[in-house]
Structures are given as structure tokens and as C-alpha cells.
Amino acid sequence: EVVLTQSPATLSLSPGERGTLSCRASQSISTFLAWYQQKPGQAPRLLIYDASNRATGIPARFSGRGSGTDFTLTISSLEPEDFAVYYCQQRDKWPFTFGPGTKVDIK
Amino acid sequence: EVQLVESGGGLVQPGGSLRLSCAASGFSVSSNYMSWVRQAPGKGLEWVSLIYSDGRTYYTDSVKGRFTISRHNSMNTLYLQVNSLRGEDTAVYYCVRENQNWGRGTLVTVSS
């Protein structure tokens, strides 16, 4: 099973700051990595697919990069609605797996 | 517009069964890969099962032999038959189209 590790577990930032979230895979997954945002009581929302492609309707302040085992999600300038939990997920090998999440909270 | 609406969750005793349904609109469930993903209360996400357009199915190890994913093409509905339920199956179960569109989920609670 591909294990995804996310860091940091919590990221405390102020609105307008830049946030960088990391996801590391236990083996190479090419670019078959997605990022999701989840707010309390809501379903996850797809932000980025295949490592660097923004999903429909996702603002340009969200960007993803990486391949192989190391991936990052960057939020260029945090808006108040961006405070949430972010998960990475791989679809290269079954079972598809998620990372444990990074909580982005208000500093 | 793509919509996914889950139903069928509820309170069930250990060892019991449920059938979860996901009514889809705006696309055909037979032309995409469809999945069930669950989230235990206060926990992370777990990909439970997947069915490809060609009918191949996959299950995470903890549910193999107990859960069955299927679809009814003419009703455009995805199902998850969940049997021999355990406390650790307690979760919100989400229906997912590929990895793009998610329903709101249906809560399954396994408790005596």
C-alpha cells in the first residue's frame, strides 16, 4: 500500500500569507496525486488533480507541483475561506490512499 | 450539472447489513469510474471501493468479502451492499465520481 505522509500537521497562518503544504509518498506514484480541501460538515472538494492541474472553478491562488514521491500544494495568498483541512490522495496503485491531512488554521 | 445524492445509511447492530445508494444525475454512472469513500467521525478519509466502466471492482482489504459495489445503469445509481458490519465501519460514506464530484454523504452507525 502506498503510504502518504503530510507535513506539517497544522499550519498557522494569517490571511494574505503564503502557505506551502507537503505530501510525500512511500513509493513513486508518477503524477497521480490529487489535493482536496475539506471544511467541517462538508464533503471534500477537489482542488488539484494529476499533481498540477487545477480542478474546474478552483482559484489560481492554488497551485500544485511535484512528481515521483514529493509533492507540494501552495496557496499564494490565503483568503478567509481557505482555512480548512487539506488532504493529498494517490490513484497510482490500489488501494487508493489519502494522507492524514494538514489543518490550515488562523494564526 | 453533476449531482450525487447518497441514501440508505442509519443505525445498525454489529453483524447487520445495509444497502447504500447513490443517485446520480448530469452524467452516466457507467461511463466513469465510481467509488465509495468513507470518513469515520473526526478521522481522515479512506477509499473503500471502486467500480470501473468495464465492470472491474476493487475493495480495500478491511471490507473484502463483506462489501459489494454495483451499479444499475438504467437507474443511473451506484450501490454499496455492506454486510457483517463492525463498529469500525461507522463513518460517513461518500459517493464519488472519479475523484472530481462528491456527494454529501450518508452516515452509517454500527452500535448495539
Side-chain angles (χ1 to χ4, degrees):
Chain A
E1 174 174 311
V2 177
V3 177
L4 298 178
T5 304
Q6 290 187 245
S7 60
T10 304
L11 189 58
S12 296
L13 295 168
S14 300
E17 286 193 301
R18 181 185 185 91
T20 301
L21 289 66
S22 174
C23 178
R24 178 164 289 179
S26 60
Q27 56 188 280
S28 178
I29 56 170
S30 184
T31 57
F32 295 116
L33 187 101
W35 290 94
Y36 301 85
Q37 176 194 71
Q38 188 178 34
K39 297 179 181 178
Q42 296 185 16
R45 176 173 73 142
L46 178 68
L47 300 175
I48 302 288
Y49 65 93
D50 293 346
S52 61
N53 299 288
R54 269 191 304 278
T56 303
I58 300 304
R61 64 181 181 273
F62 291 93
S63 63
R65 62 181 297 170
S67 66
T69 61
D70 289 298
F71 302 85
T72 57
L73 173 71
T74 300
I75 312 170
S76 60
S77 178
L78 275 151
E79 297 287 338
E81 61 268 27
D82 298 337
F83 292 95
V85 178
Y86 292 82
Y87 294 96
C88 58
Q89 175 252 324
Q90 66 83 22
R91 65 176 184 90
D92 183 53
K93 298 174 180 62
W94 184 259
F96 295 173
T97 48
F98 291 90
T102 290
K103 182 178 182 181
V104 178
D105 66 14
I106 300 176
K107 191 173 181 181
Chain B
E1 180 193 2
V2 171
Q3 284 200 331
L4 298 164
V5 180
E6 301 95 336
S7 61
L11 175 63
V12 60
Q13 291 188 337
S17 298
L18 288 170
R19 187 175 80 158
L20 309 183
S21 299
C22 171
S25 58
F27 73 102
S28 171
V29 295
S30 62
S31 60
N32 298 263
Y33 77 81
M34 299 292 298
S35 301
W36 290 95
V37 174
R38 69 183 177 184
Q39 186 169 36
K43 302 296 184 183
L45 298 160
E46 180 182 29
W47 211 289
V48 173
S49 184
L50 177 155
I51 183 168
Y52 281 108
S53 56
D54 63 7
R56 286 176 295 146
T57 58
Y58 292 85
Y59 301 92
T60 195
D61 282 350
S62 63
V63 310
K64 277 181 186 173
R66 301 189 299 123
F67 290 13
T68 304
I69 191 170
S70 62
R71 65 184 181 224
H72 193 301
N73 293 344
S74 61
M75 294 184 65
N76 212 31
T77 300
L78 180 74
Y79 300 101
L80 187 69
Q81 178 68 40
V82 296
N83 298 332
S84 303
L85 283 162
R86 307 167 181 167
E88 56 265 34
D89 296 318
T90 294
V92 174
Y93 286 71
Y94 295 103
C95 171
V96 186
R97 170 185 171 245
E98 307 223 331
N99 60 356
Q100 298 177 44
N101 305 103
W102 294 60
R104 291 190 169 189
T106 187
L107 176 63
V108 172
T109 303
V110 183
S111 175
S112 54

Coordinates of all heavy atoms in Angstrom, one line a residue, chain A residues 1 34 36 38 41-46 48-50 56 87 89-91 94-100, chain B residues 33 35 37 39 43-50 52 58-60 64 94 98-100 102-105:
Chain A
E1 N 0.8 -1.2 0.0 CA 0.0 0.0 0.0 C 0.9 1.2 0.0 O 1.9 1.3 0.7 CB -0.9 0.0 1.2 CG -1.7 1.2 1.5 CD -2.7 1.1 2.6 OE1 -3.4 0.1 2.7 OE2 -2.7 2.0 3.5
A34 N -3.7 13.9 -6.1 CA -4.7 15.0 -6.0 C -4.6 15.6 -4.7 O -4.2 15.0 -3.7 CB -6.1 14.4 -6.3
Y36 N -7.2 17.8 -2.0 CA -8.6 18.2 -1.6 C -8.6 19.1 -0.4 O -7.7 19.1 0.4 CB -9.4 16.9 -1.2 CG -9.5 15.9 -2.2 CD1 -8.5 14.9 -2.3 CD2 -10.6 15.8 -3.1 CE1 -8.6 13.9 -3.3 CE2 -10.7 14.8 -4.0 CZ -9.7 13.8 -4.1 OH -9.8 12.9 -5.1
Q38 N -11.2 20.2 2.7 CA -12.4 19.9 3.5 C -12.7 20.8 4.6 O -11.8 21.1 5.4 CB -12.4 18.4 4.0 CG -13.7 18.0 4.5 CD -13.7 16.5 5.0 OE1 -12.7 16.0 5.5 NE2 -14.8 15.8 4.9
G41 N -18.1 19.5 8.4 CA -19.5 19.2 7.9 C -19.7 19.1 6.4 O -20.9 19.0 6.0
Q42 N -18.6 19.3 5.7 CA -18.8 19.2 4.2 C -18.0 18.1 3.6 O -17.0 17.6 4.2 CB -18.2 20.6 3.6 CG -19.1 21.8 4.0 CD -18.6 23.0 3.3 OE1 -17.9 23.0 2.3 NE2 -19.0 24.2 3.8
A43 N -18.3 17.7 2.4 CA -17.6 16.8 1.7 C -16.3 17.4 1.2 O -16.2 18.6 1.0 CB -18.4 16.2 0.5
P44 N -15.3 16.6 1.0 CA -14.0 17.1 0.4 C -14.3 17.7 -1.0 O -15.2 17.3 -1.7 CB -13.1 15.9 0.2 CG -13.6 14.9 1.3 CD -15.1 15.1 1.3
R45 N -13.5 18.7 -1.4 CA -13.6 19.4 -2.7 C -12.3 19.2 -3.4 O -11.2 19.5 -2.8 CB -13.9 20.9 -2.5 CG -14.0 21.6 -3.8 CD -14.4 23.1 -3.7 NE -13.5 23.9 -3.0 CZ -13.3 25.2 -3.4 NH1 -13.9 25.7 -4.4 NH2 -12.4 26.0 -2.7
L46 N -12.3 18.7 -4.6 CA -11.1 18.6 -5.4 C -10.5 19.9 -5.8 O -11.2 20.7 -6.3 CB -11.4 17.7 -6.7 CG -10.2 17.5 -7.6 CD1 -9.2 16.6 -7.0 CD2 -10.7 16.9 -8.9
I48 N -6.8 20.1 -6.9 CA -5.7 19.8 -7.9 C -5.8 18.3 -8.2 O -5.9 17.5 -7.4 CB -4.3 20.1 -7.3 CG1 -4.2 21.6 -6.8 CG2 -3.2 19.7 -8.2 CD1 -4.1 22.6 -8.0
Y49 N -5.6 18.0 -9.5 CA -5.5 16.6 -9.9 C -4.3 16.4 -10.8 O -3.8 17.4 -11.4 CB -6.8 16.1 -10.7 CG -7.0 16.8 -12.0 CD1 -6.6 16.3 -13.2 CD2 -7.7 18.0 -12.1 CE1 -6.8 16.9 -14.4 CE2 -7.9 18.7 -13.3 CZ -7.5 18.1 -14.4 OH -7.7 18.8 -15.6
D50 N -3.8 15.2 -10.8 CA -2.6 14.9 -11.5 C -1.4 15.8 -11.2 O -0.7 16.3 -12.1 CB -2.9 14.8 -13.0 CG -3.8 13.6 -13.4 OD1 -3.9 12.7 -12.5 OD2 -4.3 13.6 -14.5
T56 N -11.9 22.3 -12.0 CA -12.8 23.4 -12.5 C -13.3 24.3 -11.4 O -13.7 23.8 -10.3 CB -14.1 22.7 -13.1 OG1 -13.7 21.9 -14.2 CG2 -15.0 23.8 -13.7
Y87 N -6.1 17.5 2.2 CA -5.7 16.1 2.1 C -5.0 15.9 0.7 O -5.5 16.4 -0.3 CB -6.8 15.1 2.2 CG -7.5 15.0 3.5 CD1 -8.7 15.8 3.7 CD2 -7.0 14.2 4.5 CE1 -9.3 15.7 5.0 CE2 -7.7 14.1 5.7 CZ -8.8 14.9 6.0 OH -9.4 14.8 7.2
Q89 N -4.0 12.7 -2.0 CA -4.5 11.3 -2.4 C -3.9 10.8 -3.6 O -3.7 11.6 -4.6 CB -6.0 11.4 -2.5 CG -6.7 10.1 -3.0 CD -7.2 10.2 -4.4 OE1 -7.6 11.2 -4.9 NE2 -7.1 9.1 -5.1
Q90 N -3.5 9.5 -3.6 CA -2.9 8.9 -4.8 C -3.8 8.0 -5.5 O -4.6 7.3 -4.8 CB -1.5 8.3 -4.4 CG -1.6 7.1 -3.5 CD -1.9 5.8 -4.3 OE1 -1.7 5.6 -5.5 NE2 -2.4 4.8 -3.5
R91 N -3.7 7.9 -6.8 CA -4.5 7.0 -7.5 C -3.7 6.1 -8.5 O -4.1 5.6 -9.5 CB -5.6 7.7 -8.3 CG -5.1 8.6 -9.4 CD -6.3 9.2 -10.2 NE -5.8 10.0 -11.3 CZ -5.6 9.6 -12.6 NH1 -5.8 8.3 -12.8 NH2 -5.1 10.4 -13.5
W94 N -3.8 0.6 -6.4 CA -4.9 0.3 -5.5 C -4.3 -0.5 -4.3 O -3.4 -1.3 -4.4 CB -5.9 -0.7 -6.2 CG -7.1 -0.9 -5.3 CD1 -7.3 -2.1 -4.5 CD2 -8.1 0.0 -5.0 NE1 -8.4 -1.9 -3.8 CE2 -9.0 -0.7 -4.0 CE3 -8.5 1.3 -5.4 CZ2 -10.1 -0.1 -3.5 CZ3 -9.6 1.9 -4.9 CH2 -10.4 1.2 -4.0
P95 N -4.8 -0.1 -3.0 CA -5.9 0.8 -2.8 C -5.5 2.3 -2.9 O -4.3 2.6 -2.5 CB -6.3 0.4 -1.3 CG -5.0 0.0 -0.7 CD -4.2 -0.7 -1.8
F96 N -6.3 3.0 -3.5 CA -6.1 4.5 -3.5 C -6.0 4.9 -2.0 O -6.7 4.3 -1.1 CB -7.2 5.2 -4.1 CG -7.4 5.0 -5.6 CD1 -8.5 5.5 -6.3 CD2 -6.5 4.2 -6.3 CE1 -8.7 5.3 -7.6 CE2 -6.6 4.0 -7.7 CZ -7.7 4.5 -8.3
T97 N -5.1 5.8 -1.7 CA -4.9 6.2 -0.3 C -4.8 7.7 -0.2 O -4.5 8.4 -1.1 CB -3.6 5.6 0.3 OG1 -2.5 5.8 -0.7 CG2 -3.7 4.1 0.5
F98 N -5.1 8.2 1.0 CA -5.1 9.6 1.4 C -4.0 9.8 2.4 O -3.7 8.9 3.2 CB -6.4 10.0 2.1 CG -7.6 10.0 1.1 CD1 -8.4 8.9 1.0 CD2 -7.9 11.2 0.5 CE1 -9.5 9.0 0.1 CE2 -9.0 11.3 -0.4 CZ -9.8 10.1 -0.5
G99 N -3.5 11.0 2.5 CA -2.6 11.4 3.6 C -3.5 11.7 4.8 O -4.7 11.8 4.7
P100 N -2.9 11.9 5.9 CA -3.6 12.2 7.2 C -4.2 13.6 7.3 O -5.0 13.9 8.2 CB -2.6 11.9 8.3 CG -1.3 12.2 7.6 CD -1.4 11.8 6.2
Chain B
Y33 N -15.4 6.0 -13.7 CA -15.2 5.1 -12.5 C -15.8 5.8 -11.3 O -15.8 7.0 -11.1 CB -13.7 4.7 -12.3 CG -12.8 5.7 -11.7 CD1 -12.7 5.9 -10.4 CD2 -11.9 6.4 -12.5 CE1 -11.8 6.8 -9.8 CE2 -11.0 7.3 -12.0 CZ -10.9 7.5 -10.6 OH -10.0 8.4 -10.1
S35 N -16.8 5.5 -7.0 CA -16.2 4.9 -5.8 C -17.1 5.3 -4.6 O -18.0 6.2 -4.6 CB -14.8 5.6 -5.6 OG -14.0 5.3 -6.6
V37 N -16.1 6.3 -0.7 CA -15.0 6.8 0.3 C -15.7 7.0 1.6 O -16.8 7.6 1.6 CB -14.3 8.0 -0.3 CG1 -13.3 8.6 0.8 CG2 -13.7 7.8 -1.6
Q39 N -15.4 8.2 5.9 CA -14.7 9.0 6.9 C -15.3 8.8 8.3 O -16.5 9.2 8.5 CB -14.8 10.5 6.5 CG -14.0 11.4 7.4 CD -13.9 12.8 6.9 OE1 -14.9 13.4 6.3 NE2 -12.7 13.5 7.0
K43 N -12.1 11.6 11.9 CA -10.9 11.0 11.3 C -10.7 11.4 9.9 O -11.4 12.2 9.3 CB -11.1 9.5 11.4 CG -11.3 9.0 12.8 CD -10.1 9.2 13.7 CE -10.3 8.6 15.1 NZ -9.1 8.9 16.0
G44 N -9.7 10.8 9.3 CA -9.4 11.1 7.9 C -10.2 10.2 6.9 O -11.2 9.6 7.3
L45 N -9.8 10.3 5.7 CA -10.6 9.7 4.6 C -10.0 8.3 4.2 O -8.8 8.1 4.2 CB -10.5 10.6 3.3 CG -11.1 12.0 3.6 CD1 -10.6 13.0 2.5 CD2 -12.7 11.9 3.5
E46 N -10.9 7.4 3.8 CA -10.5 6.1 3.4 C -11.2 5.7 2.1 O -12.5 5.7 2.1 CB -10.8 5.0 4.5 CG -10.4 3.6 4.1 CD -10.7 2.6 5.2 OE1 -11.6 2.8 6.0 OE2 -10.0 1.6 5.2
W47 N -10.5 5.3 1.1 CA -11.1 4.9 -0.2 C -11.5 3.4 0.0 O -10.7 2.5 0.2 CB -10.1 5.0 -1.3 CG -10.8 5.3 -2.6 CD1 -11.5 4.5 -3.4 CD2 -10.7 6.5 -3.3 NE1 -12.0 5.1 -4.5 CE2 -11.5 6.4 -4.5 CE3 -10.1 7.8 -3.1 CZ2 -11.7 7.4 -5.4 CZ3 -10.3 8.8 -4.0 CH2 -11.1 8.6 -5.2
V48 N -12.8 3.1 0.0 CA -13.4 1.8 0.3 C -13.5 0.9 -0.9 O -13.1 -0.3 -0.8 CB -14.8 2.0 1.0 CG1 -15.4 0.6 1.2 CG2 -14.6 2.8 2.3
S49 N -14.1 1.4 -2.0 CA -14.4 0.5 -3.1 C -14.5 1.4 -4.4 O -14.8 2.5 -4.3 CB -15.7 -0.2 -2.8 OG -15.9 -1.2 -3.9
L50 N -14.3 0.7 -5.5 CA -14.3 1.4 -6.8 C -14.8 0.4 -7.8 O -14.6 -0.8 -7.8 CB -12.8 1.8 -7.1 CG -12.5 2.4 -8.4 CD1 -11.2 3.3 -8.2 CD2 -12.2 1.4 -9.5
Y52 N -15.0 0.3 -12.1 CA -14.6 0.9 -13.4 C -15.7 0.8 -14.4 O -16.6 0.0 -14.2 CB -13.3 0.3 -13.9 CG -12.1 0.9 -13.3 CD1 -11.3 0.0 -12.4 CD2 -11.6 2.1 -13.5 CE1 -10.2 0.5 -11.8 CE2 -10.4 2.6 -12.9 CZ -9.7 1.8 -12.1 OH -8.6 2.3 -11.5
Y58 N -12.9 -3.1 -7.1 CA -11.8 -3.2 -6.1 C -12.3 -2.8 -4.8 O -13.2 -2.0 -4.6 CB -10.7 -2.2 -6.5 CG -9.9 -2.5 -7.8 CD1 -10.4 -2.2 -9.0 CD2 -8.7 -3.3 -7.7 CE1 -9.8 -2.5 -10.2 CE2 -8.1 -3.6 -8.9 CZ -8.6 -3.3 -10.1 OH -8.0 -3.6 -11.3
Y59 N -11.7 -3.4 -3.8 CA -12.1 -3.2 -2.4 C -10.8 -3.0 -1.5 O -9.8 -3.7 -1.7 CB -12.9 -4.3 -1.8 CG -14.1 -4.6 -2.6 CD1 -14.1 -5.5 -3.7 CD2 -15.3 -3.9 -2.3 CE1 -15.3 -5.8 -4.4 CE2 -16.5 -4.2 -3.1 CZ -16.4 -5.1 -4.1 OH -17.6 -5.3 -4.8
T60 N -10.9 -2.2 -0.5 CA -9.8 -2.1 0.4 C -9.9 -3.4 1.3 O -11.0 -4.0 1.4 CB -9.9 -0.8 1.3 OG1 -8.7 -0.6 2.0 CG2 -11.0 -0.9 2.3
K64 N -13.1 -6.4 2.2 CA -13.2 -7.5 1.2 C -14.1 -8.7 1.8 O -13.9 -9.1 3.0 CB -11.8 -8.1 0.9 CG -11.1 -7.2 -0.2 CD -9.8 -7.8 -0.5 CE -9.0 -6.9 -1.5 NZ -7.6 -7.4 -1.7
Y94 N -19.2 8.5 1.4 CA -19.4 9.4 0.3 C -19.4 8.6 -1.1 O -18.5 7.7 -1.2 CB -18.3 10.4 0.2 CG -18.2 11.4 1.4 CD1 -17.3 11.2 2.4 CD2 -19.1 12.5 1.4 CE1 -17.2 12.1 3.4 CE2 -19.0 13.4 2.5 CZ -18.0 13.2 3.5 OH -18.0 14.1 4.5
E98 N -15.2 9.5 -10.3 CA -13.8 9.6 -10.5 C -13.2 10.2 -9.2 O -13.4 9.6 -8.1 CB -13.5 10.4 -11.7 CG -14.3 9.9 -12.9 CD -13.5 9.8 -14.2 OE1 -12.6 10.5 -14.4 OE2 -13.8 8.9 -15.0
N99 N -12.5 11.3 -9.2 CA -12.2 12.0 -7.9 C -12.7 13.4 -7.9 O -12.3 14.2 -7.0 CB -10.6 11.9 -7.7 CG -9.8 12.6 -8.7 OD1 -10.4 13.1 -9.7 ND2 -8.5 12.7 -8.5
Q100 N -13.6 13.7 -8.8 CA -14.0 15.0 -9.1 C -15.2 15.5 -8.3 O -15.2 16.6 -7.7 CB -14.3 15.2 -10.6 CG -13.1 15.0 -11.5 CD -13.5 15.1 -12.9 OE1 -14.2 16.0 -13.3 NE2 -13.1 14.2 -13.7
W102 N -18.3 14.8 -5.5 CA -18.6 14.1 -4.3 C -20.0 14.4 -3.8 O -20.5 15.5 -4.0 CB -17.6 14.5 -3.1 CG -16.2 14.2 -3.3 CD1 -15.4 14.5 -4.4 CD2 -15.4 13.4 -2.4 NE1 -14.2 14.0 -4.2 CE2 -14.1 13.3 -3.0 CE3 -15.7 12.7 -1.2 CZ2 -13.1 12.6 -2.4 CZ3 -14.6 12.0 -0.6 CH2 -13.4 11.9 -1.2
G103 N -20.7 13.4 -3.3 CA -22.0 13.6 -2.7 C -21.8 14.2 -1.3 O -20.7 14.4 -0.8
R104 N -22.9 14.4 -0.6 CA -22.8 15.0 0.8 C -22.6 13.9 1.8 O -22.3 14.2 2.9 CB -24.1 15.7 1.1 CG -24.3 17.0 0.3 CD -25.4 17.8 0.8 NE -25.4 19.2 0.3 CZ -26.2 20.1 0.7 NH1 -27.1 19.9 1.7 NH2 -26.2 21.3 0.1
G105 N -22.8 12.6 1.4 CA -22.5 11.5 2.3 C -23.8 11.0 3.0 O -24.8 11.7 3.2

